[in-house]
Amino acid sequence: MTPAASAGAVRNDEARDGPAARDDHEDRAPKRGKTVHGELANAGHRVLASDDAEVEAYLETALNAPPPDRTASDRPGGAVPRGESSASEPDTVVVLDFGSQYAQLIARRIRELHVYSELMPFDTPWAEIARRRPSALILSGGPASVYDTGAPRPDPAIWASGVPILGICYGLQLMAHQLGGEVIPATRREYGPAHVTFTDATPSGLFAGLDREQPVWMSHGDSIVRPPAGFRATAQTDSTPYAGLTDSERGLYGIQFHPEVVHTPRGRDILRNFVVGVAGARQTWTAANFIESTVSEIRSRVDAHARATGSIGLVICALSGGVDSAVAAALVHRAVGDRLTCIYVDHGLMRKRESELLRITFEQNLGMKLVMVDARERFLARLRSIEDPEQKRKIIGDEFIRVFEEQAATLSRDSPIDFLTQGTLYPDVIESTTSDTKAAHKIKSHHNVGGLPADLRFTLIEPLRHLFKDEVRAVGLELGLPEAMVLRQPFPGPGLAIRIIGEVTRERLDTLREADWIVIDEIKAANLYRSLWQSFAILTPVRSVGVMGDLRTYANVVAIRAVTSEDGMTADWAKLPYEVLAKISSRIVNEVPGVNRVVYDISSKPPATIEWE
């Protein structure tokens, strides 16, 4: 989320000339996933995916799991009938997405206030929104102008719903336009930092407790010149007389700036004033409450299936070593106990000691049933002589499927397995509203594995489907999982195979594992680990001349990659202290046999990618 990306645009809020707008809203086409190069995805391209997404795609292909049934009633708090309330069901803020690059960020900011939020398409019918019993609605920004032909508009019924509404940027202009005000192209557009003045004698409502002058982030090319009847101005800038509007009688509020970005320092206070102060939403969306309601829901669902089918209600989960599958497994285990079996396929491509940590955590500390499959030789044999990164991914995915399918078939001999647990996150659920954006959908096109048993068909359990990544980590810590696992940096599904440029061999894996261990060890020693999105070593195909102990060497070159990012979509190379880089380099060339040179990657994304393959 880089607010600067919208600076210099020539149309309305988050106008489509900015780089972020081009990626997300090009020609207002249906959203698609992105390739590793940041382009809109087409057939045959690898799509950016979370650390567990590729593993899940392999499983869906192999086990023929039916698509998840995510109905309107699928929300936290259990499967309560529509129209009835539940003590465990959280108050909800619905965010209508009009194409903003910040729409997910708005939803995340609301959740940081411990209030549940859902992101929905701008044209969602009011009846569908009403089924969620929202405490408030927020209208996001967007690249369009309200007077454009075909400009996105919500169901008009929202204006008479009685539910408090906050319009942000385009959302404010839309509110003014649809309720009788006037919006025109601005003579002086505002993009980037600005200062807003609250015009109420005593700031209240949205601006309660804030100083009259505030720095904010603007991104708009249109302006309101006449507010609708019943509205009064609450904020202004030098060029925007209506930077804030309110009709408190109808519960309608709007602001021209973006409170969700860090460049509006008191933006979260404004959102809190609206969600908690104006709308009165309860702040019950916490990790502890989520665990309680989710465990109850899973237990009820599995037990009901067991009663209906006469089965035991067995569940399996593939542990990838990533955060998502680990937290999902811990939640399901709390719900069904020994009816869950976790399967971990050790493909030999993990970092040093990670497989041991997983065994200790799940088998010894948490007391779960854990099947650890030693498939290291199988994967190495299939990767022999393979250098192309996409071939590596296909081979690893295919072999993973075959190993997991064998284990699932073995486990189901005595009693049928009914459920497969996956770590699907809320961004995946949002994207799956269109088939082109589901990462697993694109990845599955690469894996066509036939001849699998027809009876290996499971129903999916997705306990994390309502959570963003940071919320998953909070739940994992609340469940008692070790920090080393929960706060682990993202790690690719194919593991170290795509951090070895060229052929993957046992010797090259050992070299990279030791170098990578030193990188992480020194990053943690410098207290930098949690401030970085990712940090790791790459074993390059390059060898260079060196001198060690007065002898000439011709040995491997290791590259170091460390980046900062908020979501992995863009990233900047980390400005690590020289002394940290020096320590890493010295240790690698002295402690890792066969390495005599270390280089540091100072490429940002874009144009580079985070991973080298």
Side-chain angles (χ1 to χ4, degrees):
M1 305 295 179
T2 307
S6 60
V10 297
R11 292 226 44 194
N12 190 37
D13 165 41
E14 300 158 45
R16 55 184 75 104
D17 282 1
R22 279 201 302 273
D23 282 349
D24 293 337
H25 315 298
E26 188 170 59
D27 298 324
R28 295 188 201 160
K31 291 183 178 179
R32 294 181 291 169
K34 295 184 178 67
T35 71
V36 292
H37 303 293
E39 308 156 335
L40 293 175
N42 294 302
H45 285 131
R46 178 165 62 86
V47 173
L48 193 71
S50 65
D51 45 346
D52 284 329
E54 291 182 87
V55 171
E56 292 174 6
Y58 305 154
L59 298 184
E60 289 179 22
T61 303
L63 306 177
N64 195 25
D69 181 20
R70 301 193 188 103
T71 64
S73 61
D74 178 35
R75 58 200 303 265
V80 297
R82 283 301 106 195
E84 300 178 16
S85 62
S86 166
S88 60
E89 184 181 12
D91 288 352
T92 298
V93 173
V94 169
V95 179
L96 295 183
D97 181 7
F98 290 87
S100 171
Q101 60 179 314
Y102 307 137
Q104 282 198 31
L105 185 55
I106 297 171
R108 289 172 61 183
R109 291 289 183 252
I110 302 306
R111 293 188 182 201
E112 289 170 3
L113 301 174
H114 301 301
V115 177
Y116 179 66
S117 64
E118 283 193 37
L119 189 64
M120 303 182 72
F122 68 88
D123 56 354
T124 304
W126 168 247
E128 181 70 19
I129 298 171
R131 277 196 288 269
R132 285 156 170 77
R133 295 183 292 276
S135 297
L137 300 180
I138 295 179
L139 313 184
S140 83
S145 292
V146 295
Y147 45 77
D148 283 350
T149 301
R153 291 179 171 81
D155 185 334
I158 70 170
W159 307 119
S161 66
V163 174
I165 299 176
L166 172 64
I168 296 175
C169 215
Y170 176 83
L172 166 61
Q173 296 168 8
L174 191 63
M175 183 185 295
H177 180 71
Q178 289 203 289
L179 296 179
E182 185 177 1
V183 180
I184 65 171
T187 56
R188 181 180 171 189
R189 300 179 175 96
E190 289 183 303
Y191 297 106
H195 277 80
V196 68
T197 301
F198 303 141
T199 54
D200 282 348
T202 303
S204 60
L206 293 185
F207 311 133
L210 304 182
D211 292 339
R212 185 173 301 279
E213 301 283 337
Q214 290 292 331
V216 297
W217 185 264
M218 287 285 193
S219 182
H220 68 103
D222 296 337
S223 289
I224 299 166
V225 294
R226 179 172 54 83
F231 280 80
R232 61 184 177 83
T234 57
Q236 65 181 26
T237 68
D238 290 342
S239 59
T240 305
Y242 301 110
L245 288 177
T246 295
D247 182 344
S248 56
E249 292 296 318
R250 288 189 286 175
L252 303 178
Y253 301 80
I255 48 179
Q256 188 61 73
F257 54 88
H258 288 273
E260 69 273 23
V261 301
V262 295
H263 292 65
T264 302
R266 300 301 298 273
R268 299 188 192 194
D269 296 311
I270 293 172
L271 291 173
R272 180 184 295 106
N273 284 339
F274 174 70
V275 170
V276 180
V278 173
R282 297 173 300 166
Q283 295 175 281
T284 60
W285 180 248
T286 64
N289 288 344
F290 172 81
I291 292 169
E292 181 181 1
S293 63
T294 301
V295 166
S296 176
E297 178 187 359
I298 295 170
R299 184 181 296 124
S300 297
R301 182 182 175 194
V302 173
D303 288 348
H305 178 86
R307 288 192 300 269
T309 61
S311 67
I312 300 174
L314 297 181
V315 187
I316 59 173
C317 177
L319 293 177
S320 70
V323 178
D324 305 336
S325 63
V327 175
L331 277 168
V332 174
H333 180 256
R334 185 167 291 194
V336 303
D338 286 345
R339 286 183 286 176
L340 168 69
T341 300
C342 294
I343 300 174
Y344 175 65
V345 178
D346 184 359
H347 48 33
L349 307 173
M350 297 297 284
R351 283 172 153 167
K352 185 175 179 179
R353 300 184 185 174
E354 286 192 324
S355 294
E356 291 87 341
L357 172 64
L358 188 140
R359 178 192 290 276
I360 292 170
T361 299
F362 285 90
E363 192 172 60
Q364 299 181 21
N365 296 351
L366 299 178
M368 292 189 191
K369 288 183 179 179
L370 177 62
V371 176
M372 295 193 73
V373 185
D374 186 351
R376 290 175 291 181
E377 294 301 325
R378 291 179 57 164
F379 279 85
L380 277 174
R382 290 202 58 185
L383 288 169
R384 187 174 297 121
S385 302
I386 302 299
E387 296 187 1
D388 179 75
E390 290 306 308
Q391 278 191 276
K392 291 180 188 177
R393 287 178 177 273
K394 291 176 184 179
I395 288 170
I396 292 166
D398 180 71
E399 193 64 21
F400 184 94
I401 287 171
R402 297 180 187 280
V403 175
F404 191 90
E405 178 263 332
E406 291 169 9
Q407 294 303 313
T410 300
L411 290 172
S412 63
R413 285 174 186 165
D414 297 328
S415 299
I417 297 171
D418 301 304
F419 296 95
L420 169 66
T421 298
Q422 290 197 159
T424 309
L425 304 190
Y426 188 55
D428 302 319
V429 176
I430 296 170
E431 290 181 346
S432 67
T433 56
T434 58
S435 61
D436 282 338
T437 58
K438 181 69 172 174
H441 173 83
K442 288 295 178 184
I443 296 166
K444 281 191 286 188
S445 68
H446 293 312
H447 308 291
N448 183 18
V449 181
L452 300 177
D455 59 347
L456 285 179
R457 183 175 176 85
F458 309 117
T459 300
L460 292 180
I461 293 178
E462 301 172 302
L464 309 180
R465 66 194 179 280
H466 302 300
L467 302 185
F468 288 105
K469 190 77 169 188
D470 53 338
E471 295 174 310
V472 173
R473 298 187 193 278
V475 169
L477 294 173
E478 185 74 22
L479 286 166
L481 294 176
E483 287 192 3
M485 180 175 288
V486 174
L487 302 180
R488 177 181 184 262
Q489 294 174 354
F491 188 67
L496 297 179
I498 60 168
R499 292 179 179 172
I500 292 177
I501 312 303
E503 183 182 6
V504 178
T505 66
R506 182 181 291 103
E507 293 74 19
R508 301 193 80 201
L509 278 167
D510 288 343
T511 298
L512 178 57
R513 239 188 296 270
E514 292 303 319
D516 186 76
W517 176 266
I518 291 171
V519 172
I520 298 301
D521 191 40
E522 291 301 327
I523 292 288
K524 288 182 175 179
N527 292 318
L528 296 171
Y529 185 78
R530 295 189 190 178
S531 66
L532 300 174
W533 177 261
Q534 281 176 270
S535 50
F536 54 90
I538 305 103
L539 184 59
T540 76
V542 177
R543 302 181 75 190
S544 71
V545 173
V547 177
M548 301 179 76
D550 295 327
L551 296 176
R552 177 186 182 276
T553 63
Y554 189 57
N556 292 298
V557 177
V558 165
I560 307 302
R561 183 76 159 137
V563 298
T564 57
S565 177
E566 286 195 21
D567 54 12
M569 299 304 295
T570 62
D572 191 16
W573 62 277
K575 282 66 176 178
L576 296 180
Y578 290 152
E579 58 269 23
V580 174
L581 289 171
K583 189 72 175 292
I584 290 173
S585 176
S586 176
R587 285 192 59 189
I588 288 176
V589 297
N590 281 284
E591 297 177 26
V592 182
V595 177
N596 69 355
R597 191 179 300 270
V598 175
V599 298
Y600 188 49
D601 182 349
I602 59 170
S603 308
S604 296
K605 175 188 177 182
T609 55
I610 295 177
E611 299 288 348
W612 279 31
E613 289 192 345

